[in-house]
Amino acid sequence: MKHRIAILAGGTGGHISPGIALAEILTDRSDFFSVEFVCLHSLKRNSNNPDLESSPCLVLWHNSPLWKWTRFLTFPILFFFDFIRTFFQFKKHKINAVIGMGGYSTIPGLVYALIFRKSIYLCEQNCMPGKITRIFARFSKKLAYSFPSQIDLGKDSKILGNPIRKRVLPEKINLRLNENLTDNRKTQINVLVLGGSQGARQLNNMILNALENSEIASKFQFRLLTGTALYEETKEKASENTELISYTNDMKPNYEWANLVIARSGAGVVAECLIFGLPMILVPYPFAADNHQKANADFLEKEGAASVIHSTSEDPRELISILLKWKTNTEALKEMGHNSLRLSNINSAFQTIQYFLKQES
């Protein structure tokens, strides 16, 4: 049977990026996997997402409404019209399998597959499975996890890592030399700071506050991806020797530059740091759904790949303490990098598709 697949990746970048990675494999290896057609099913409001703008396959747009209690009367009507649109889209392209990447925007595609008895495969990026994964797992054929799950959903499942887009992948995988940590002539450790789309202001200000410490300012070189909306605000507060970037769609050079990363603990950013063998300081976003960022961060800390700061304030004292400890013990930092690389899977995208389709090709 030839597969005609819709990848349901419509929510945030954390759902879209791994969906793109799977689409790349399905288009590049279509003959190997007996794939006749592949598309992405994504929200129209994400049409300016750079990954979707350069998608390796057709993107089918839809307008699944966000659930709000204030919309309890109109939501069913809006959802019904979006489902009808999805029905005609999938019917036209003869979709016989869907891959759900998580999030509420996947519901129309998953409901279509459930009603019309199409194959359902699920990818779960986080240690704490999302509500949609928990609801639809019983109807899925297979479930691929990025990290060990905190909940046993009782399905045919494997831990395969989070699929990574081709343009982010390093040229080769090996233990990082981290020359800044081993060459005595180099005195600074490069720190990449990724605030992400949620709670970036806290991380930006925490770093700027930490730089008021003379030891931090002299030993560590910071590169902040501030977020476009916060760039000017952060620039006004930053010292001249702090490198600021509002936004970039090319993360590889930044990961290659860094010796360590300070970030939220969304699955996408974490997975990219792992394949570059980067130690991490993670500050989980406390308002993430099901507190999944805390679960991700706690797992990585337990595995020795990260230190975790559980805080909603901009107080830099705990961050300063961690950094100064590493300043005098760079061997610990390098060991964390080795643990990070150990948890990575550069072939996650290929292995996920192989796991889903290999018995049906």
Side-chain angles (χ1 to χ4, degrees):
M1 179 185 70
K2 290 285 187 179
H3 301 292
R4 301 183 65 85
I5 298 173
I7 300 171
L8 315 178
T12 64
H15 299 128
I16 295 169
S17 293
I20 291 287
L22 297 184
E24 289 173 341
I25 294 296
L26 287 168
T27 53
D28 290 348
R29 305 296 299 273
S30 58
D31 290 340
F32 181 81
F33 289 114
S34 298
V35 173
E36 189 174 54
F37 175 82
V38 59
C39 68
L40 283 148
H41 190 237
S42 194
L43 290 169
K44 183 65 177 176
R45 62 175 175 267
N46 289 328
S47 58
N48 62 348
N49 178 284
D51 284 328
L52 293 173
E53 286 181 333
S54 58
S55 170
C57 62
L58 175 69
V59 180
L60 302 178
W61 303 106
H62 70 110
N63 289 304
S64 185
L66 290 172
W67 168 254
K68 292 182 180 179
W69 285 108
T70 54
R71 293 181 177 175
F72 74 97
L73 291 177
T74 59
F75 179 85
I77 299 172
L78 294 173
F79 178 83
F80 174 76
F81 281 111
D82 191 61
F83 174 75
I84 294 300
R85 167 188 264 189
T86 298
F87 168 80
F88 283 111
Q89 288 174 328
F90 285 15
K91 199 73 174 174
K92 174 182 176 181
H93 295 287
K94 301 178 182 178
I95 299 300
N96 56 31
V98 300
I99 300 176
M101 306 306 297
Y104 287 100
S105 65
T106 64
I107 293 177
L110 291 171
V111 170
Y112 173 90
L114 183 61
I115 291 175
F116 297 101
R117 306 185 69 178
K118 309 302 180 182
S119 298
I120 296 176
Y121 305 99
L122 298 177
C123 288
E124 176 54 56
Q125 290 88 41
N126 300 294
C127 290
M128 173 57 71
K131 289 184 176 67
I132 301 306
T133 299
R134 300 199 298 268
I135 291 170
F136 284 91
R138 73 191 71 179
F139 308 112
S140 67
K141 287 194 169 186
K142 295 179 182 178
L143 201 165
Y145 290 109
S146 295
F147 304 116
S149 174
Q150 290 191 345
I151 299 176
D152 181 6
L153 296 176
K155 292 298 300 181
D156 183 358
S157 62
K158 276 189 178 181
I159 302 169
L160 296 170
N162 201 18
I164 306 293
R165 297 158 293 169
K166 287 191 296 185
R167 60 187 174 79
V168 178
L169 295 174
E171 298 300 323
K172 56 184 178 180
I173 295 295
N174 53 26
L175 294 180
R176 290 171 58 86
L177 295 177
N178 265 339
E179 63 176 9
N180 284 11
L181 307 182
T182 58
D183 187 340
N184 292 329
R185 294 170 298 177
K186 294 182 180 293
T187 59
Q188 289 189 317
I189 297 173
N190 295 337
V191 184
L192 179 63
V193 184
L194 307 171
S197 59
Q198 294 180 312
R201 179 177 282 108
Q202 179 199 359
L203 287 193
N204 292 342
N205 290 339
M206 184 185 290
I207 298 303
L208 298 182
N209 292 338
L211 280 166
E212 296 177 6
N213 181 292
S214 59
E215 286 189 88
I216 297 296
S218 64
K219 183 63 178 179
F220 297 89
Q221 176 66 43
F222 290 89
R223 180 180 291 179
L224 278 69
L225 271 72
T226 63
T228 303
L230 298 176
Y231 177 77
E232 291 299 331
E233 172 187 314
T234 309
K235 184 179 179 180
E236 291 179 4
K237 302 175 184 177
S239 60
E240 291 182 1
N241 63 349
T242 304
E243 184 178 357
L244 303 180
I245 301 173
S246 63
Y247 173 80
T248 179
N249 197 37
D250 185 11
M251 284 302 301
K252 187 191 294 189
N254 295 296
Y255 290 131
E256 292 173 340
W257 171 86
N259 297 120
L260 68 97
V261 170
I262 300 173
R264 296 300 188 185
S265 46
V269 167
V270 164
E272 291 176 0
C273 290
L274 293 179
I275 63 171
F276 283 89
L278 287 164
M280 291 167 272
I281 298 175
L282 299 174
V283 187
Y285 184 62
F287 308 108
D290 300 313
N291 211 6
H292 67 263
Q293 288 206 11
K294 178 181 183 301
N296 294 344
D298 289 346
F299 166 72
L300 291 164
E301 185 174 50
K302 180 181 176 182
E303 292 293 325
S307 291
V308 180
I309 298 174
H310 295 290
S311 173
T312 58
S313 80
E314 298 169 0
D315 188 332
R317 285 177 292 181
E318 189 172 357
L319 173 62
I320 290 171
S321 175
I322 294 171
L323 291 175
L324 291 183
K325 178 182 66 176
W326 287 343
K327 172 179 175 288
T328 57
N329 185 10
T330 55
E331 287 301 317
L333 191 60
K334 287 189 284 185
E335 181 61 27
M336 290 183 72
H338 295 173
N339 289 331
S340 186
L341 194 64
R342 172 176 57 83
L343 296 172
S344 70
N345 183 4
I346 193 171
N347 295 314
S348 175
F350 179 86
Q351 291 177 5
T352 298
I353 295 300
Q354 186 176 46
Y355 170 58
F356 286 163
L357 304 182
K358 66 179 180 179
Q359 294 180 351
E360 301 177 27
S361 298

